[in-house]
Amino acid sequence: MAEPRGRILVVIPTYQERDNLGPVVARLHAAVPEADVLVVDDASPDGTGELADEMAAADPRIKVLHRTGKQGLGAAYLAGFAEALRSDYKIVVEMDADGSHPPEDLPALIAALDDADVVLGSRYVPGGIVRNWPARRQLISRAGNLYSRLALGVPIKDITAGFRVFRRQVLEELDLDQIASQGYCFQIDMAWRAALGGFRVREVPITFTERERGSSKMDTTIVVEAFWRVACWGAGRLVRRTPTVLRADRAAADPSPAPERPSSPAGDEAVSDGPVRT
């Protein structure tokens, strides 16, 4: 398959990330010079939005979307996706501003779109590394991923991963207006919807490093939301007998009807053997 290059937009939500934003964007442009950046700032009181405006004035590859108040990670990404779809971007990237997602790994994620529709930067496939996380955070993350994998029937090792790359077609065809989840749950929601929609999902190992500046936005509310929503989705899957999400045996982004799926998961890719896109 030809290399799936086109215009790239990296969506970076921010709230109180003034110290991190400049270095992260500089590293990003060193790794992928052709990428545009959309900073989605939720009225950060530390001046992150003003810094983003200064960066945009100095570099045409940088754009800023200001929102009135802290509205949540999921809503920020959805706003960024909407901006991407209003333009002609072919590849849309999710990335945190805190430096935990290494921009140097982005070329590998983009290259993986050669045979995928969604690529996750994964901490939990062979080669993935987590640095400087306290044991409690690692336990919560691994337990949440295992719980989601079992409840939803998806063979994705790091379904809560926030460093990911989408083909435009995925965002066009998913019903993004129906997504209300936030935080970790937003990432689970998007990956599961993509898999159930018949899109091929791949995981590529990354080195995840805990932020050095600022404080994490994760709190108990985010964990509780993820637990509750996944429980509801998992129960609904059993009641409606929604099929387990499995690997596809067709090419990524193939618009033709999907052939029969194999009966068991394989590898690190996942799409649905149930409702598929046409």
Side-chain angles (χ1 to χ4, degrees), residues 178-246:
Q178 297 300 312
I179 298 177
S181 47
Q182 296 292 330
Y184 282 173
C185 196
F186 172 78
Q187 308 296 6
I188 297 168
D189 198 347
M190 286 292 296
W192 190 45
R193 285 172 187 262
L196 286 180
F199 294 101
R200 179 168 291 184
V201 180
R202 286 193 58 192
E203 296 184 79
V204 172
I206 64 165
T207 298
F208 177 96
T209 304
E210 173 67 322
R211 63 164 64 236
E212 295 181 355
R213 295 177 293 271
S215 58
S216 172
K217 310 303 188 299
M218 194 189 83
D219 58 24
T220 303
T221 302
I222 292 173
V223 176
V224 170
E225 182 206 18
F227 181 89
W228 174 249
R229 286 186 183 269
V230 170
C232 291
W233 296 334
R237 182 175 73 89
L238 295 175
V239 169
R240 295 190 298 271
R241 301 185 65 82
T242 304
T244 298
V245 178
L246 302 174

Side-chain angles (χ1 to χ4, degrees), residues 20 96 98-101 123 129-134 137 184 207-217:
N20 293 313
D96 286 352
D98 61 12
S100 59
H101 299 153
R123 297 160 289 188
I129 298 171
V130 177
R131 289 180 176 161
N132 303 331
W133 245 16
R137 286 291 300 275
Y184 282 173
T207 298
F208 177 96
T209 304
E210 173 67 322
R211 63 164 64 236
E212 295 181 355
R213 295 177 293 271
S215 58
S216 172
K217 310 303 188 299

Side-chain angles (χ1 to χ4, degrees), residues 9-18 20-21 24-25 37-44 48-49 52 63-65 67 70-81 93-101 162-163 182-183 186-187 211 217:
L9 181 66
V10 181
V11 181
I12 303 180
T14 57
Y15 184 76
Q16 305 229 86
E17 297 288 0
R18 183 179 179 87
N20 293 313
L21 182 61
V24 164
V25 173
V37 173
L38 175 64
V39 178
V40 183
D41 186 67
D42 278 8
S44 297
T48 302
K63 304 172 178 60
V64 186
L65 175 61
R67 303 200 305 158
K70 189 176 181 182
Q71 301 175 43
L73 181 70
Y77 274 128
L78 291 173
F81 295 162
V93 180
E94 289 186 18
M95 193 174 79
D96 286 352
D98 61 12
S100 59
H101 299 153
F163 192 16
Q182 296 292 330
F186 172 78
Q187 308 296 6
R211 63 164 64 236
K217 310 303 188 299

Side-chain angles (χ1 to χ4, degrees), residues 25 29 35-39 52-53 55-64:
V25 173
H29 278 148
D36 287 344
V37 173
L38 175 64
V39 178
D53 286 336
M55 293 169 61
D59 189 335
R61 296 173 295 180
I62 301 172
K63 304 172 178 60
V64 186

